Amino acid sequence: MRATAFVCLLAQGLLASACLTEEELRGFRHNLPILHRRQRAQTNKTNDGTIPRGLGDRFKNGTVAPRGIGSQTGANFTSFYSMDQIQSATLGLVNEFNLTYFELPLKTFENRTMYGLKMPGKAGPTVLLQAGIHARERGGPDHLINFVADLLWAQREGTGLVYGGMSYTAQDVLTALSHGLVVLPLVNPDGVAFDHATNGCWRKNRNPASARPNDTDATTGVDLNRNFASVWDFRKEMAPISDDILSVSDDPESEVFHGTAPLSEPEARNIDWVMDQMPDLRWMADLHSHATQILYAWGHDTNQVRDPSMNLLNRSYDGKRGAVPDDLAKGYVYAEYIEQQRLDRITILSSRVADGMLGAAGRSYTAQISVGLYPTTGVVTDHVMYRSLVDSSKKTADAITIEFGQYNRDALCSFYPTVPMHNFNMMDVGAGLMEFLLEAARLG
Ligand SMILES: *[C@@H]1O[C@H](CO)[C@@H](O)[C@H](O)[C@H]1NC(C)=O
Ligand SMILES: *[C@@H]1O[C@H](CO)[C@@H](O)[C@H](O)[C@H]1NC(C)=O
Ligand SMILES: *[C@@H]1O[C@H](CO)[C@@H](O)[C@H](O)[C@H]1NC(C)=O
Ligand SMILES: *[C@@H]1O[C@H](CO)[C@@H](O)[C@H](O)[C@H]1NC(C)=O
Ligand SMILES: *[C@@H]1O[C@H](CO)[C@@H](O)[C@H](O)[C@H]1NC(C)=O
Ligand SMILES: *[C@@H]1O[C@H](CO)[C@@H](O)[C@H](O)[C@H]1NC(C)=O
Ligand SMILES: *[C@@H]1O[C@H](CO)[C@@H](O)[C@H](O)[C@H]1NC(C)=O
Ligand SMILES: [Zn+2]
């Protein structure tokens, strides 16, 4: 536990960039409202060397199926998928491979319908794959859809897959597909639509319920990846550690605004609903950019394996969580309980995913505990684990956050990749998700 905390602090200094820009990290560490000023500017500039948005409908309303970078040689993706293309690509897979398409029950604030696809396996579905929760993290939906497409094409043709330096056999493809998968390619459609329309580096959803009337542009939106139920009420459950350190906020102006209640947002409730539809849910991976990291539980504090009663449901630890390292003087002494065997599985799984992503295009990925980046609450991957803690009728499930790709320092929005970066990211994600599914199959 001590050792883990120490490593995390080291990592924090070097790598604290996942999902937030350097200026945002400085911003929330020093309460400087920086990014929203740029978002408000909305220059719509597109000629900053980043990959352009795809035009037209390359999947012809679902009559053409996509194919990724792992099941064909020499592919070069020179645009990213538009909103329409994400949907038509999904429909293309459904039609070509006879998958199940489903819609989620709640509409978003802007009345969009969320959707997913379901693939049969030997059991389950036991695996949930998700992308697009942070709108500006461009490429997530593309990489997820194209990875699934690769698996299906390879299965049909009886071949393996190649992601840069990583090769997989036809048998690996069958093993990866054996789980039964549910895929949610775009879980923040309003945010992504807005980001595409404005190139404004938009992260959150578009719910204006908490916006201040005199400043709606800067105060619209909830960070969906702070809106889930696990330790949502950070003011009560976490130690009163400085807002400079916490990556969550109750200020609607913040990029990490957590909403008005656990699962207050329809997008978050929809995702929770999907999990409810998966009684055999065992593994989940959520795609983000751009830290070249694999993050595993927990987000709110370090892990410990000795004291099962020290856990996030025990109210006697409210106000003590989140200090890394513990602050003995103030009594902030806490680490989240996790069974040793489970911790071993999730760390080995995360390392394997990181190694696969390194092997794809040669960019270094590291696996680490989520709190090592910054203490955070209400994230979807912790929610996956939390669900079986509050309801023992649910099977335990484990989840990782995959932070693909690197900063694009030359872009107005560092989350927008160049064409070469987008293609490398697609290889990385392909290899990472392959390793994830293969290791999950090995672990059972
Ligand atoms: C940017 O594009 C959006 C959506 O098309 C539009 O509403 C807005 O006025 C544009 N902003 C500028 C500065 O051109
Ligand atoms: C796209 O396909 C759907 C059925 O999948 C159909 O209802 C819709 O009219 C089509 N749209 C266009 C523009 O062809
Ligand atoms: C991919 O296409 C872009 C834009 O057309 C081009 O600049 C780049 O060299 C191509 N990359 C490869 C590996 O072919
Ligand atoms: C498509 O899948 C359904 C079950 O989901 C099955 O009943 C049907 O026969 C399949 N159709 C084809 C053409 O394989
Ligand atoms: C969503 O649909 C409802 C009911 O049709 C309508 O009242 C509301 O104005 C719509 N909201 C937006 C943002 O378009
Ligand atoms: C909007 O009003 C709030 C108080 O309700 C104030 O704190 C804030 O500075 C105002 N913002 C602007 C941009 O005027
Ligand atoms: C909660 O933690 C306290 C120690 O702070 C312990 O005495 C108590 O038994 C725990 N409660 C449960 C239900 O485990
Ligand atoms: Zn993110």
Side-chain angles (χ1 to χ4, degrees):
M1 177 175 145
R2 284 299 121 237
T4 311
F6 181 63
V7 170
C8 292
L9 280 180
L10 277 181
Q12 196 166 359
L14 294 170
L15 298 160
S17 60
C19 296
L20 292 166
T21 65
E22 283 171 348
E23 65 181 17
E24 282 163 352
L25 282 165
R26 285 198 299 277
F28 78 67
R29 293 208 166 127
H30 304 289
N31 265 333
L32 305 172
I34 299 173
L35 187 85
H36 68 270
R37 302 297 164 199
R38 182 171 65 195
Q39 289 179 331
R40 189 186 297 173
Q42 284 174 31
T43 59
N44 291 350
K45 191 173 166 185
T46 52
N47 60 343
D48 64 349
T50 64
I51 185 169
R53 176 156 42 106
L55 301 174
D57 183 2
R58 65 180 103 178
F59 308 109
K60 308 211 180 315
N61 197 26
T63 59
V64 172
R67 185 162 187 146
I69 206 163
S71 62
Q72 48 183 335
T73 49
N76 187 7
F77 289 79
T78 57
S79 62
F80 68 87
Y81 292 165
S82 65
M83 294 285 295
D84 287 348
Q85 289 177 354
I86 293 169
Q87 179 151 29
S88 64
T90 304
L91 287 171
L93 287 178
V94 166
N95 294 335
E96 181 71 32
F97 296 103
N98 193 27
L99 312 176
T100 304
Y101 177 88
F102 63 94
E103 294 185 341
L104 282 58
L106 302 174
K107 286 194 189 310
T108 63
F109 173 75
E110 291 177 351
N111 290 327
R112 289 193 175 81
T113 299
M114 294 165 64
Y115 54 88
L117 57 79
K118 194 164 94 175
M119 300 157 66
K122 282 193 210 130
T126 57
V127 175
L128 175 61
L129 303 176
Q130 170 183 297
I133 198 167
H134 286 148
R136 64 196 181 185
E137 292 168 16
R138 284 193 180 164
D142 310 46
H143 305 329
L144 179 52
I145 289 168
N146 287 354
F147 168 69
V148 171
D150 280 339
L151 285 176
L152 292 164
W153 284 112
Q155 181 188 36
R156 174 176 294 173
E157 293 167 2
T159 61
L161 293 170
V162 178
Y163 292 107
M166 298 300 289
S167 298
Y168 299 94
T169 65
Q171 180 56 51
D172 289 339
V173 169
L174 298 183
T175 304
L177 282 167
S178 67
H179 291 282
L181 308 177
V182 171
V183 178
L184 301 176
L186 176 57
V187 296
N188 180 10
D190 291 356
V192 169
F194 186 74
D195 182 70
H196 287 186
T198 61
N199 290 306
C201 214
W202 191 260
R203 169 182 169 98
K204 301 187 280 182
N205 76 358
R206 293 292 301 163
N207 182 358
S210 300
R212 291 195 282 271
N214 63 349
D215 206 6
T216 48
D217 283 352
T219 55
T220 288
V222 172
D223 182 351
L224 295 173
N225 209 30
R226 299 294 182 274
N227 188 237
F228 288 84
S230 176
V231 198
W232 178 86
D233 192 356
F234 71 96
R235 290 281 177 219
K236 185 179 101 189
E237 298 175 69
M238 298 287 272
I241 48 180
S242 152
D243 288 2
D244 297 0
I245 292 165
L246 274 179
S247 173
V248 57
S249 174
D250 44 18
D251 177 356
E253 188 164 339
S254 169
E255 286 301 319
V256 288
F257 175 51
H258 72 161
T260 52
L263 304 175
S264 61
E265 304 310 294
E267 297 90 342
R269 285 211 295 287
N270 274 341
I271 294 166
D272 187 57
W273 175 87
V274 169
M275 293 173 190
D276 279 341
Q277 309 307 302
M278 298 175 67
D280 297 319
L281 176 62
R282 182 74 193 85
W283 302 100
M284 191 242 189
D286 190 26
L287 291 186
H288 291 251
S289 66
H290 45 22
T292 56
Q293 287 184 335
I294 314 304
L295 304 173
Y296 53 87
W298 295 82
H300 59 278
D301 212 316
T302 49
N303 297 323
Q304 53 91 12
V305 296
R306 283 176 290 276
D307 180 2
S309 77
M310 186 185 274
N311 66 62
L312 54 80
L313 299 179
N314 189 334
R315 297 277 71 95
S316 74
Y317 290 108
D318 282 356
K320 296 184 160 63
R321 302 182 182 91
V324 179
D326 288 343
D327 187 333
L328 286 114
K330 293 189 171 140
Y332 305 157
V333 178
Y334 185 83
E336 188 65 36
Y337 177 70
I338 185 167
E339 294 91 344
Q340 180 75 62
Q341 196 192 15
R342 194 173 182 189
L343 180 60
D344 292 346
R345 287 153 70 99
I346 195 76
T347 50
I348 290 168
L349 173 87
S350 299
S351 298
R352 182 170 170 177
V353 172
D355 287 349
M357 295 178 82
L358 162 68
R363 301 184 298 179
S364 178
Y365 281 82
T366 52
Q368 71 156 325
I369 184 170
S370 172
V371 73
L373 207 51
Y374 31 63
T376 187
T377 61
V379 302
V380 66
T381 44
D382 285 352
H383 184 76
V384 170
M385 301 176 67
Y386 165 89
R387 284 165 44 92
S388 67
L389 296 182
V390 286
D391 178 353
S392 58
S393 73
K394 295 196 165 91
K395 288 188 183 163
T396 59
D398 291 298
I400 59 169
T401 298
I402 296 179
E403 287 271 356
F404 66 79
Q406 296 172 321
Y407 253 62
N408 183 357
R409 294 187 185 279
D410 299 325
L412 284 175
C413 175
S414 62
F415 296 90
Y416 301 171
T418 61
V419 165
M421 284 174 139
H422 183 72
N423 284 272
F424 285 139
N425 293 348
M426 200 177 294
M427 291 177 198
D428 291 356
V429 172
L433 289 177
M434 260 326 260
E435 299 294 339
F436 176 76
L437 293 177
L438 294 175
E439 184 66 7
R442 195 182 71 80
L443 293 168

